[in-house]
């Protein structure tokens, strides 16, 4: 009888132990799944970078952008709320090449505090970077689809480094996106080819389209330099007005992130010389558009710019 009772006690203890182990393993699996499902928190600056990170990161990332649609990154100053968003991110991504000129010290400080900070401008071949002068890089590199693809590679590498278990996912998204960028370049080439060669001159408020012009065969003239922080002098407008009259330029363009008063002043300067030049439309320069205009992604925005330019100049 004692043996039977002893056997029953041992059996119950064994069953409880097995049950307890099973629960522990289940808890471990649930914890592992929760860890795997945790999204990487990325804080970035421009709308272009928000779209890029979402495209590569997909549902594995949670992206916060500091600058909304139509915001000029050259003049943007971070708020206290922005500092919190940057501090709470797993990864901080910015354009570099002095695009976010008033935020450089913030990024440097974050880097010194061992925050993971990615400057996508550093991913580019320095020989491909255009210069306004020997000390000033043109930061508008996203308008060259090949350079944008290089920056997409940098984003993929950073996400894969921080989340190796989903590296294949990020790489697949990157390859798909690079294919879409090739298609985009072909689309833009076709649109620009609709413009007579002598009319392929793009006149804008500030010099944001140098890379676009280099890739797709345009000449760019602008009132301001590569940064909207540069001064606009009356001589700039007078010289450009003379150029427009002498070369019979059909249209000039305003920009979504730059006040249109300088372009309107240019239009008046041309009129004072006995000529008329129309405003050919609004281009997206330092910001993407929005869903209401069907320009909420990088690809849609670049297509819209190509359409606007071609329709006004052909």
């Amino acid at each position: 009888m004692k043996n039977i009772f002893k056997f029953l006690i041992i059996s119950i203890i064994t069953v409880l132990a097995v049950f307890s182990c099973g629960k522990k393993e289940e808890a471990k699996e649930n914890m592992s799944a929760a860890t795997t499902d945790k999204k990487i928190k990325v804080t970035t600056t421009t709308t272009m970078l928000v779209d890029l990170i979402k495209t590569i990161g997909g549902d594995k990332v949670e992206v916060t952008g500091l600058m909304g649609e139509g915001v000029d990154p050259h003049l943007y100053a971070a708020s206290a709320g922005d500092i919190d968003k940057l501090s709470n991110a797993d990864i901080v991504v910015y354009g570099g090449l002095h695009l976010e000129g008033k935020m450089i010290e913030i990024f440097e400080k974050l880097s010194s505090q061992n925050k993971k900070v990615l400057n996508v401008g550093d991913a580019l071949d320095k020989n491909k970077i255009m210069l306004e002068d020997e000390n000033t890089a043109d930061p508008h590199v996203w308008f060259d689809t090949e350079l944008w693809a290089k920056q997409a590679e940098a984003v993929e590498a950073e996400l894969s480094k921080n989340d190796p278990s989903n590296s294949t996912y990020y790489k697949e998204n990157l390859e798909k996106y690079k294919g879409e960028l090739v298609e985009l370049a072909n689309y833009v080439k076709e649109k620009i080819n609709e413009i007579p060669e002598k009319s392929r001159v793009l006149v804008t408020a500030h010099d944001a389209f140098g890379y676009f012009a280099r890739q797709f065969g345009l000449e760019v003239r602008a009132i301001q330099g590569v940064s909207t922080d540069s001064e606009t002098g009356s001589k700039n407008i007078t010289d450009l007005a003379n150029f427009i009259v002498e070369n019979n330029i059909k249209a000039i363009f305003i920009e979504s992130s730059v006040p249109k008063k300088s372009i309107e002043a240019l239009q008046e300067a041309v009129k004072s010389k006995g000529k008329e030049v129309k405003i050919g439309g609004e281009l997206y320069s330092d910001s993407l558009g929005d869903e209401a205009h069907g320009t909420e992604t990088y690809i849609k925005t670049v297509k819209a710019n190509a359409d606007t330019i071609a329709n006004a100049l052909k």
Side-chain angles (χ1 to χ4, degrees):
M1 188 71 178
K2 286 183 179 179
N3 289 337
I4 293 173
F5 182 73
K6 186 178 180 182
F7 174 77
L8 288 172
I9 293 297
I10 293 171
S11 298
I12 290 169
I13 291 171
T14 302
V15 169
L16 288 173
V18 170
F19 179 75
S20 176
C21 286
K23 283 294 183 184
K24 285 180 181 177
E25 288 302 318
E26 184 180 345
K28 282 183 182 178
E29 288 176 7
N30 289 339
M31 190 177 295
S32 176
T35 302
T36 303
D37 291 342
K38 182 183 176 183
K39 295 185 178 183
I40 302 175
K41 293 171 68 175
V42 183
T43 297
T44 189
T45 52
T46 66
T47 53
M48 293 77 71
L49 286 170
V50 168
D51 182 60
L52 179 60
I53 295 161
K54 285 182 177 179
T55 300
I56 306 302
D59 59 8
K60 311 297 182 190
V61 298
E62 178 185 323
V63 187
T64 299
L66 302 182
M67 305 175 192
E69 185 267 325
V71 172
D72 182 353
H74 300 287
L75 303 178
Y76 189 84
S79 66
D82 291 338
I83 302 299
D84 288 340
K85 291 172 185 175
L86 291 164
S87 299
N88 293 329
D90 297 317
I91 305 172
V92 170
V93 181
Y94 70 106
L97 301 173
H98 215 69
L99 175 65
E100 306 95 339
K102 298 184 181 298
M103 297 180 67
I104 299 304
E105 288 184 9
I106 296 171
F107 298 130
E108 290 175 348
K109 185 175 180 180
L110 289 169
S111 295
S112 70
Q113 295 170 345
N114 295 320
K115 172 69 70 176
K116 294 172 183 174
V117 178
L118 173 63
N119 174 356
V120 291
D122 286 343
L124 302 176
D125 181 343
K126 296 298 181 285
N127 293 322
K128 299 290 181 66
I129 305 254
M130 300 179 71
L131 300 175
E132 183 176 41
D133 57 52
E134 62 181 27
N135 298 314
T136 308
D138 183 345
H140 305 88
V141 292
W142 57 89
F143 281 125
D144 182 320
T145 59
E146 293 177 3
L147 295 183
W148 192 237
K150 289 295 182 186
Q151 295 194 318
E153 289 175 2
V155 169
E156 178 276 313
E158 187 69 22
L159 292 177
S160 291
K161 182 172 73 175
N162 285 274
D163 182 20
S165 62
N166 286 309
S167 178
T168 300
Y169 174 81
Y170 301 132
K171 284 178 168 56
E172 288 174 351
N173 287 347
L174 171 65
E175 291 309 311
K176 180 175 181 291
Y177 190 54
K178 286 167 72 174
E180 292 172 355
L181 292 179
V182 170
E183 293 175 4
L184 172 63
N186 290 334
Y187 178 90
V188 175
K189 285 173 186 174
E190 289 178 6
K191 296 304 294 186
I192 299 305
N193 284 340
E194 294 175 6
I195 306 170
E197 284 191 30
K198 64 179 182 179
S199 299
R200 294 178 192 174
V201 182
L202 185 60
V203 179
T204 59
H206 90 294
D207 197 0
F209 293 91
Y211 293 97
F212 184 88
R214 182 177 71 182
Q215 185 177 13
F216 299 111
L218 291 161
E219 179 183 352
V220 172
R221 296 289 179 124
I223 298 171
Q224 285 179 286
V226 297
S227 172
T228 54
D229 205 16
S230 59
E231 293 184 5
T232 302
S234 57
K235 185 177 186 303
N236 302 50
I237 291 177
T238 300
D239 290 347
L240 195 47
N242 288 334
F243 174 83
I244 289 168
V245 170
E246 291 165 8
N247 292 276
N248 197 29
I249 304 299
K250 292 173 62 175
I252 57 181
F253 300 87
I254 59 176
E255 300 173 41
S256 63
S257 55
V258 180
K260 60 183 180 181
K261 61 183 179 181
S262 62
I263 283 293
E264 290 173 340
L266 176 61
Q267 189 180 36
E268 285 301 311
V270 172
K271 188 175 182 179
S272 71
K273 298 178 184 299
K275 298 281 287 187
E276 294 282 344
V277 62
K278 68 179 180 179
I279 293 180
E282 182 179 67
L283 301 178
Y284 300 99
S285 53
D286 293 334
S287 163
L288 302 184
D290 55 28
E291 288 188 25
H293 295 90
T295 51
E296 72 276 13
T297 71
Y298 168 83
I299 288 176
K300 289 180 179 180
T301 289
V302 175
K303 281 185 175 181
N305 279 348
D307 291 344
T308 299
I309 293 166
N311 291 339
L313 296 180
K314 67 183 180 182

